[in-house]
Amino acid sequence: MAAEGSEATAPGSGKTAVVVGVGPGLGIAIVNAFAGQGYTVVAAARRAAALETLPFEPGPGRMVPVGCDATAPDDVERLFAGGEAHGPVEVAVFNAGTFERGDVVDT
């Protein structure tokens, strides 16, 4: 609890988190958890426009949507360089994955 006359500071205030592979499930939940702690969250998905439709709950933090192909090293490098513009990156979460269809016996 903050002393009378002072404001409580969120633990992530002034800090940046980068989350790669943000989608409608675990990805946005991770973003919301960090934003709820006050982080600026650089949220990356293949299509930045898709991030605008997710149920973001800012809390004291905010989300910065960025398009990024996690399989392209240049994209990932640009992502982190852009993240640093919001402050030092304190946390990085790689939630991106790949999916290959096939029969269980073939995989």
Side-chain angles (χ1 to χ4, degrees):
M1 183 168 205
E4 189 174 323
S6 68
E7 291 184 24
T9 303
S13 181
K15 297 179 182 177
T16 302
V18 174
V19 182
V20 180
V22 177
L26 183 60
I28 194 63
I30 294 168
V31 170
N32 285 336
F34 281 110
Q37 293 295 312
Y39 284 81
T40 294
V41 184
V42 179
R46 283 186 184 257
R47 295 179 330 273
L51 294 167
E52 301 294 340
T53 65
L54 298 177
F56 175 60
E57 300 166 4
R62 65 189 182 107
M63 177 176 75
V64 179
V66 177
C68 175
D69 179 352
T71 65
D74 288 344
D75 271 16
V76 175
E77 191 172 310
R78 277 191 297 274
L79 171 69
F80 277 88
E84 295 272 327
H86 300 283
V89 175
E90 300 274 338
V91 178
V93 178
F94 291 89
N95 186 52
T98 60
F99 176 74
E100 234 179 90
R101 287 189 180 264
D103 292 332
V104 173
V105 290
D106 294 336
T107 57

